[in-house]
Amino acid sequence: EFTHGSKTIAIPGTLLISAIAVMDDVSKAVTMDLKKGGRLLYIVGDTRPELGGSHYFELAGLARAGIVPALDLKKAKAGMIRLSSAAKAGLARSIHDCSEGGLAIAVAEMCFAGNLGANIFLSDVPYQGRERREDFVLFAESHARFVVEVDREDQKAFEKAMKGASIGLIGCVTEEPVLKAFGFKGKVCLEAAVGHLKEAWQAPLRQP
């Protein structure tokens, strides 16, 4: 809850679960903002048609429809351990989890945090499920997934560090602050200026 001018704005009560740990070397911390145009973007973890309870289905009036995301604890832990090791080795320049809103929202947040753009290719996202739809790949909220920015010269080292985990090279960072998603047939299915995306993200926080 906070005051903006003469108005008091309160965010509705929300369940929040936080994890806290001690880092031996704080210089190894990896932030979510994209850092440099031309770098590669990977997704770690499998995407499934799991949109039950998702924000996308809520906006579409389908809040009670779909499949709720399920967690494979063993596989999730193994992927996180490998990603943590890659980050400690300096192979990940930025990392962001895919949570509410899925892949599209995760990449958008990385873009406007770094004021850079991104091109992503949905056909390269590791996907499990019979019904393969572009909107499902963009907005599914499957667990234990991360988007990672990697230097081109570190591509082989990163892929070696992640061997055994489900990963996909899904695109690259661009200097132009525009987010573009290319569908299964190679055509742009989503395109938005990063400034517009950031405004859509911030605007609700200004409402009383």
Side-chain angles (χ1 to χ4, degrees):
E1 182 175 328
F2 62 98
T3 301
H4 179 68
S6 60
K7 297 179 180 179
T8 298
I9 302 173
I11 296 173
T14 305
L15 174 65
L16 177 63
I17 300 174
S18 299
I20 301 173
V22 175
M23 292 191 69
D24 295 328
D25 184 354
V26 72
S27 69
K28 300 293 185 180
V30 182
T31 56
M32 61 170 276
D33 52 307
L34 296 178
K35 309 294 192 304
K36 185 178 180 181
R39 285 179 173 163
L40 305 174
L41 289 175
Y42 284 84
I43 187 168
V44 176
D46 291 316
T47 299
R48 301 177 180 85
E50 298 174 318
L51 291 100
S54 70
H55 193 60
Y56 179 64
F57 267 20
E58 181 182 1
L59 292 175
L62 301 170
R64 296 181 180 274
I67 301 170
V68 176
L71 177 64
D72 183 331
L73 186 58
K74 185 176 181 180
K75 192 172 183 179
K77 181 180 178 181
M80 290 180 187
I81 289 173
R82 289 182 175 87
L83 182 55
S84 179
S85 296
K88 288 179 181 178
L91 301 174
R93 300 302 178 180
S94 64
I95 302 174
H96 191 28
D97 63 295
C98 295
S99 53
E100 185 177 24
L103 172 63
I105 304 306
V107 176
E109 290 175 346
M110 296 175 80
C111 285
F112 59 67
N115 197 32
L116 292 167
N119 290 337
I120 59 174
F121 297 84
L122 304 186
S123 58
D124 295 323
V125 175
Y127 186 85
Q128 294 184 0
R130 292 181 180 180
E131 193 171 8
R132 190 167 179 262
R133 290 173 36 170
E134 292 168 353
D135 57 341
F136 283 11
V137 177
L138 283 167
F139 301 112
E141 296 184 3
S142 300
H143 292 311
R145 295 179 303 150
F146 301 87
V147 179
V148 187
E149 176 186 3
V150 176
D151 270 323
R152 289 183 180 271
E153 53 265 36
D154 291 332
Q155 179 178 358
K156 290 183 178 180
F158 178 77
E159 291 178 356
K160 182 178 180 180
M162 296 302 298
K163 188 175 181 180
S166 179
I167 66 170
L169 174 55
I170 61 170
C172 64
V173 184
T174 63
E175 292 289 346
E176 182 184 16
V178 174
L179 171 58
K180 291 183 182 180
F182 295 83
F184 302 145
K185 295 182 179 180
K187 294 182 179 180
V188 175
C189 62
L190 181 154
E191 182 173 358
V194 169
H196 176 74
L197 295 171
K198 188 172 184 178
E199 174 59 23
W201 180 73
Q202 291 181 326
L205 300 176
R206 304 193 195 101
Q207 301 302 316

